[in-house]
């Protein structure tokens, strides 16, 4: 009697657009799979066909993963090797793969994640930022109010900001960026690794005007990653000055209410991130006590 095969879930990255980026480990995983689950079976089917791999394909997208994740994991526990592929790049980065991995971990079945390309890291490096940190926010919000609110909440973050965006909304996305970060540079990375790869870098106003003109001439096409560089020295100084003005106004209000210097200093340090000495100097200057 043959021993039961050890089942596992394999998260398999696929090329962003250039088939030459497919790794031998990924190909071996696909060849050895019991079944391949895909975000879009048409896209993954073309990939398998290009490498002459014949496997049963099962659709597992946002609409079906909630209903099928437990079933898939039960099959893995029974000995199947299930490979999961997204449309392109690393599964689990802003796609249903995360939910499948979480379900597998909760059930205690093995999960193997193969290394591979991702549009996030590729765009981060291609953008030319020198900040060693980045924040990935997934897909940029569709509504203007949500875009503005999100960017405002990230104003003080010392990192490049990275978002996925549709070519149909990139111009309106840049409008929001220039409203909140008018002094920042951006990079719009389009069709990464593909034949018509393009990386537009410059001030947010320059890139906005370029893409707005193109949009007026015809629809923009291709998958896009938007990278917003971190704050320049002038923007940081402006933000610091604004924080100090707010702290002064708050301190004056608390002094008028009769709060103790100790309590005021504590609030200024907590709310405005002032150093102890700076907070005390501010309170003493306003209160005169």
């Amino acid at each position: 009697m043959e021993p039961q095969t050890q089942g596992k879930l394999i998260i398999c990255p696929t090329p962003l657009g250039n088939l030459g980026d497919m790794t031998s480990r990924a190909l071996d995983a696909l060849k050895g799979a019991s079944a391949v689950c895909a975000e879009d079976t048409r896209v993954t089917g073309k990939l398998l066909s290009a490498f002459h791999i014949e496997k049963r394909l099962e659709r597992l997208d946002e609409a079906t993963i909630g209903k099928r994740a437990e079933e898939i994991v039960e099959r893995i526990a029974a000995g199947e090797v299930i490979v999961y592929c997204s449309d392109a790049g690393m599964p689990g980065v802003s796609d249903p793969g995360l939910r499948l991995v979480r379900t597998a971990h909760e059930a205690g079945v093995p999960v193997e994640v193969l290394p591979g390309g991702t549009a996030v890291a590729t765009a981060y490096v291609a953008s030319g930022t020198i900040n060693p940190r980045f924040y990935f926010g997934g897909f940029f919000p569709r509504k203007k109010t949500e875009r503005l609110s999100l960017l405002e909440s990230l104003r003080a973050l010392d990192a490049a900001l990275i978002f996925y965006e549709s070519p149909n909304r990139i111009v309106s996305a840049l409008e929001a960026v220039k409203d909140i970060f008018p002094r920042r540079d951006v990079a719009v990375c389009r069709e990464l690794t593909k034949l018509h790869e393009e990386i537009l870098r410059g001030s947010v106003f320059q890139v906005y005007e370029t893409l707005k003109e193109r949009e007026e001439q015809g629809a923009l096409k291709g998958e896009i990653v938007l990278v917003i560089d971190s704050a320049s020295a002038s923007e940081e100084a402006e933000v610091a000055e604004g924080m100090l003005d707010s702290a002064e106004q708050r301190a004056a209000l608390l002094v008028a209410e009769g709060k103790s210097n100790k309590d005021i200093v504590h609030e200024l340090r907590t709310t405005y991130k002032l150093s102890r000495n700076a907070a005390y100097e501010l309170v003493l200057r306003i209160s005169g006590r």
Side-chain angles (χ1 to χ4, degrees):
M1 181 177 181
E2 295 183 359
Q4 185 180 35
T5 304
Q6 174 66 47
K8 64 179 172 179
L9 169 65
I10 301 178
I11 300 300
C12 182
T14 54
L16 299 177
N18 190 320
L19 289 179
D21 295 331
M22 193 68 176
T23 69
S24 59
R25 282 188 68 193
L27 290 173
D28 288 343
L30 291 168
K31 292 173 183 176
S34 307
V36 176
C37 292
E39 189 177 9
D40 188 327
T41 54
R42 294 167 299 179
V43 173
T44 304
K46 290 178 181 178
L47 177 72
L48 295 181
S49 178
F51 289 102
H52 309 290
I53 299 173
E54 294 185 6
K55 286 293 170 181
R56 184 173 80 251
L57 277 169
E58 301 178 19
R59 190 176 187 90
L60 198 62
D61 57 14
E62 192 64 43
T64 60
I65 199 164
K67 299 176 181 178
R68 297 202 59 211
E70 290 188 4
E71 168 218 325
I72 297 295
V73 169
E74 287 176 1
R75 287 165 53 187
I76 294 170
E80 287 193 46
V81 176
I82 302 293
V83 172
Y84 177 76
C85 299
S86 58
D87 288 352
M90 177 61 75
V93 181
S94 288
D95 80 11
L98 279 181
R99 297 173 64 183
L100 184 59
V101 172
R102 181 61 177 265
T103 304
H105 282 318
E106 290 175 347
V109 301
V111 177
E112 180 179 1
V113 180
L114 304 184
T118 167
V120 178
T122 305
Y124 166 69
V125 176
S127 73
T129 181
I130 60 172
N131 195 307
R133 293 166 292 277
F134 70 81
Y135 165 91
F136 175 56
F139 285 92
F140 205 49
R142 292 171 177 263
K143 296 182 179 178
K144 182 177 180 179
T145 54
E146 293 177 357
R147 292 171 178 164
L148 296 176
S149 177
L150 173 61
L151 292 175
E152 189 63 53
S153 72
L154 297 171
R155 180 186 291 278
L157 189 64
D158 180 20
L161 310 177
I162 304 177
F163 300 95
Y164 289 156
E165 186 52 291
S166 159
N168 300 322
R169 295 191 298 271
I170 186 60
V171 172
S172 57
L174 289 169
E175 284 181 351
V177 176
K178 66 187 182 67
D179 284 346
I180 303 299
F181 302 132
R183 298 187 181 183
R184 295 200 186 185
D185 288 340
V186 300
V188 172
C189 305
R190 189 177 67 85
E191 293 290 84
L192 287 170
T193 78
K194 299 176 184 177
L195 180 63
H196 300 292
E197 175 180 291
E198 179 183 36
I199 300 170
L200 290 173
R201 304 182 188 86
S203 74
V204 62
F205 283 93
Q206 291 172 331
V207 176
Y208 168 77
E209 290 297 335
T210 297
L211 292 182
K212 183 179 180 183
E213 183 177 344
R214 285 195 196 174
E215 187 179 56
E216 291 170 352
Q217 295 173 353
L220 293 167
K221 297 180 180 180
E223 297 178 341
I224 289 175
V225 184
L226 170 63
V227 183
I228 306 167
D229 209 348
S230 53
S232 63
S234 60
E235 182 181 336
E236 289 178 348
E238 185 179 308
V239 171
E241 184 177 347
M243 289 284 282
L244 186 58
D245 288 343
S246 297
E248 288 183 354
Q249 293 174 16
R250 182 59 179 164
L253 179 62
L254 294 174
V255 167
E257 292 177 355
K259 298 289 186 180
S260 69
N261 286 3
K262 182 179 179 181
D263 288 342
I264 299 174
V265 167
H266 176 73
E267 179 165 336
L268 295 182
R269 294 189 66 203
T270 302
T271 304
Y272 301 98
K273 310 303 179 185
L274 297 181
S275 67
R276 182 183 297 275
N277 289 341
Y280 265 114
E281 288 176 7
L282 178 58
V283 172
L284 291 175
R285 176 160 56 82
I286 293 174
S287 67
R289 63 189 185 197

